[in-house]
Amino acid sequence: MDEFKLRAGEKLEAFQEAAKAAANGGKNRVQDVASQTTELIHEAFIELWQNELFVESRERVGVWTRDAVQRIKDGAPPLSPVLLYEELVALFKDRMWRRSVALFACGVVLGGSAGLLLGLRASSRVSNGPHARALLAQPDRAVLLVDDAVTPGAGPGEVLVRVQAFSVCARDRAVLRGRAAALRPLITRSQLSIGRGFAGVVLDAGPGVSLELGDEVWGCVSEWSGGAASELLTIRSTRVSKRPQGLAADTAASLPWAGSLALEALDKAPYGLEGWKGKRVAIIGATTGEGLALLQLLSRKGARACTAAPQQHRTTLHDFGSAEFIETDGSRSWAGIEASAVRAGLWDALFCCDAQHTPPAAPQHLAALLKSTAPKRAFIDLRPSVLLTDRLPTPIWLLFCASFYTYRVLRCFLGLGNHTDWLERPRQLSPGLDQLAALVDSGYLTPALDKVYLPQDFEAALAHACSDEAIGTTVIRFP
């Protein structure tokens, strides 16, 4: 037994000696490689520093410096553009091709932009905050209800909102199918979610925010800014406002997105907000949230509204202010609508909402629908157009990314902030939401709440919101 222990000890000592030798050898090799690399870099720097072009450049820089000092002493500007141009021409004459200069400039621009892009992405705020329930989209377009979604705290100009309810619509289906997929990563690092309009309570407010804890608010989240389907939502204070008093959370959540789209459509229309008295107006797809908001506003402004929708919604649309009704069939064509216009009379304006029964394309013969005296902008399409960023090929998209981040940096340098409010629709920012609340308080507008679902029933809620059975806005409420 003692002999076995002795042999084992000898082998262990031999193993330790071999390990020490290997470690020392590895350390020596690393030191040799580092030494050789340092020598190569030093030699390359010396060779570059002693290059004829660099020697001449250093001499000219010295001359420029002395000349600038003398000009300052004489009370003249320190740099003469004419002198600088002449010196650059003399420096690069017969030493560098124009093509080389162009390639160098392109390399500087592209390399600098790429570095700026990577730096901004790396410095973006990492989510670190409380956990909450949220509906998050997966790579296969499925939406899962998670209980541990991380929400960042409220920073400067931001509020943390406890979302009580949020709305879903056909725009959410488009987002899940890839709408704004190229633009969204440039704006937010949060995971893709759904929900466009929301209502909730302020839990925290960052510096520079006028809202206070406990304020009941509502707001909108655009397709490229994420989604509102999170029990805790951090959002810029410029995108929320106090909601009308007396409205329940699910009722309030049904209006911000739909109402802002309706007001935006009236802004685009040739008659503005007040010039609708006596006008004949048609609303195609009036069963959507924005369609019902338009119907109420136009009827209260004195317009004679005609709505096109499935037959089962005729009574409800009449209660909201529809004076005429056109029954739509499953063909989703403009032929029936044009025939109704010929029988009942042409319209002064035509609104087209994003409903299931709405014809997929714009009408080819507006003369068969609109009066000859109608302005050119009398056809207002509320359906979302294709985003340019979703069609860009990869090389152009990379250039767009660099330009986008460069623009944001320039805005920071000019003191305009690092936010992206300039990308949002004005009606979905605080002033537009305040005007929407004023219309509700004055009785001009009533939220059109359709059905209320729980988060785990999201698929049924979205299917209903995108069907012909829906009339108004579908809402999901956190229990």
Side-chain angles (χ1 to χ4, degrees):
M1 188 66 180
D2 294 338
E3 183 178 358
F4 175 76
K5 291 182 178 180
L6 179 61
R7 290 180 180 178
E10 291 176 352
K11 290 183 179 181
L12 183 59
E13 290 179 0
F15 178 76
Q16 290 177 348
E17 293 294 334
K20 290 180 180 180
N24 292 331
K27 182 178 180 180
N28 292 334
R29 284 195 293 272
V30 171
Q31 291 177 348
D32 292 341
V33 172
S35 177
Q36 292 176 2
T37 304
T38 304
E39 292 179 359
L40 289 175
I41 294 176
H42 179 71
E43 291 176 0
F45 177 77
I46 294 299
E47 183 178 357
L48 185 63
W49 184 255
Q50 295 177 351
N51 183 273
E52 182 182 356
L53 183 60
F54 271 79
V55 172
E56 186 175 352
S57 299
R58 296 201 307 272
E59 294 176 353
R60 291 185 178 275
V61 168
V63 173
W64 293 346
T65 303
R66 291 191 293 270
D67 181 69
V69 172
Q70 185 61 41
R71 291 174 62 86
I72 293 175
K73 292 180 178 179
D74 296 339
L79 182 63
S80 172
V82 177
L83 179 62
L84 178 61
Y85 173 77
E86 293 176 352
E87 292 291 342
L88 289 176
V89 170
L91 178 63
F92 292 110
K93 185 178 180 181
D94 298 332
R95 296 182 182 274
M96 190 176 298
W97 296 342
R98 293 183 178 180
R99 183 178 63 180
S100 301
V101 176
L103 291 175
F104 174 76
C106 291
V108 170
V109 172
L110 293 178
S113 300
L116 180 63
L117 187 152
L118 294 175
L120 288 175
R121 293 297 294 169
S123 63
S124 297
R125 181 178 56 186
V126 178
S127 297
N128 184 18
H131 294 250
R133 291 176 297 173
L135 287 167
L136 301 179
Q138 307 303 311
D140 60 352
R141 298 180 182 176
V143 178
L144 298 179
L145 176 62
V146 299
D147 296 327
D148 56 351
V150 180
T151 303
E158 295 179 336
V159 291
L160 177 63
V161 179
R162 196 283 194 199
V163 176
Q164 298 169 305
F166 60 92
S167 63
V168 291
C169 58
R171 196 70 59 93
D172 291 294
R173 183 175 58 182
V175 169
L176 293 177
R177 292 177 177 177
R179 178 174 172 81
L183 183 58
R184 193 179 304 108
L186 305 181
I187 299 174
T188 177
R189 297 190 67 181
S190 60
Q191 192 170 348
L192 174 61
S193 182
I194 47 92
R196 305 274 69 89
F198 68 91
V201 179
V202 176
L203 295 183
D204 189 18
V209 176
S210 59
L211 294 171
E212 299 178 352
L213 274 65
D215 285 344
E216 295 183 338
V217 296
W218 62 1
C220 297
V221 182
S222 59
E223 310 96 293
W224 45 82
S225 298
S230 178
E231 205 168 14
L232 294 178
L233 176 66
T234 301
I235 190 170
R236 280 187 54 80
S237 62
T238 54
R239 303 181 190 181
V240 299
S241 72
K242 293 183 179 181
R243 71 188 194 220
Q245 296 181 359
L247 285 185
D250 47 5
T251 305
S254 67
L255 191 57
W257 180 263
S260 63
L261 290 181
L263 291 177
E264 182 182 359
L266 293 179
D267 291 337
K268 295 179 180 178
Y271 308 109
L273 293 177
E274 304 297 336
W276 295 98
K277 188 174 182 179
K279 303 294 184 183
R280 283 178 47 81
V281 181
I283 304 175
I284 313 301
T287 56
T288 61
E290 58 270 22
L292 290 177
L294 270 173
L295 179 58
Q296 295 180 71
L297 293 173
L298 290 172
S299 60
R300 285 174 170 81
K301 296 292 184 181
R304 182 175 178 82
C306 174
T307 56
Q311 177 65 29
Q312 66 264 29
H313 301 307
R314 181 169 189 164
T315 302
T316 304
L317 291 173
H318 181 269
D319 294 340
F320 273 90
S322 175
E324 302 176 18
F325 181 80
I326 301 174
E327 181 182 356
T328 57
D329 52 22
S331 62
R332 301 182 65 193
S333 68
W334 290 98
I337 300 174
E338 292 176 357
S340 299
V342 171
R343 290 194 303 269
L346 303 181
W347 298 297
D348 295 290
L350 176 64
F351 295 89
C352 189
C353 302
D354 190 15
Q356 178 67 23
H357 53 269
T358 302
Q364 296 182 353
H365 307 289
L366 283 176
L369 298 169
L370 298 175
K371 295 180 179 179
S372 59
T373 56
K376 295 182 179 179
R377 297 184 293 114
F379 175 71
I380 301 96
D381 198 342
L382 279 73
R383 295 171 296 183
S385 58
V386 178
L387 295 176
L388 178 61
T389 53
D390 290 336
R391 291 184 171 183
L392 294 178
T394 301
I396 305 300
W397 181 81
L398 294 175
L399 183 60
F400 170 79
C401 292
S403 304
F404 181 82
Y405 278 115
T406 302
Y407 180 70
R408 292 186 64 177
V409 170
L410 290 176
R411 287 180 59 88
C412 288
F413 286 157
L414 295 175
L416 300 178
N418 191 34
H419 59 79
T420 56
D421 287 349
W422 47 275
L423 274 175
E424 305 298 327
R425 301 176 181 89
R427 286 293 184 180
Q428 294 180 353
L429 298 177
S430 296
L433 295 172
D434 289 336
Q435 185 176 3
L436 197 62
L439 290 173
V440 174
D441 291 333
S442 63
Y444 264 78
L445 192 59
T446 301
L449 176 62
D450 185 13
K451 287 187 177 182
V452 180
Y453 291 81
L454 294 176
Q456 55 266 30
D457 300 324
F458 160 74
E459 292 184 358
L462 185 58
H464 175 75
C466 299
S467 70
D468 281 338
E469 300 298 324
I471 180 163
T473 304
T474 303
V475 168
I476 296 178
R477 182 184 180 95
F478 284 106

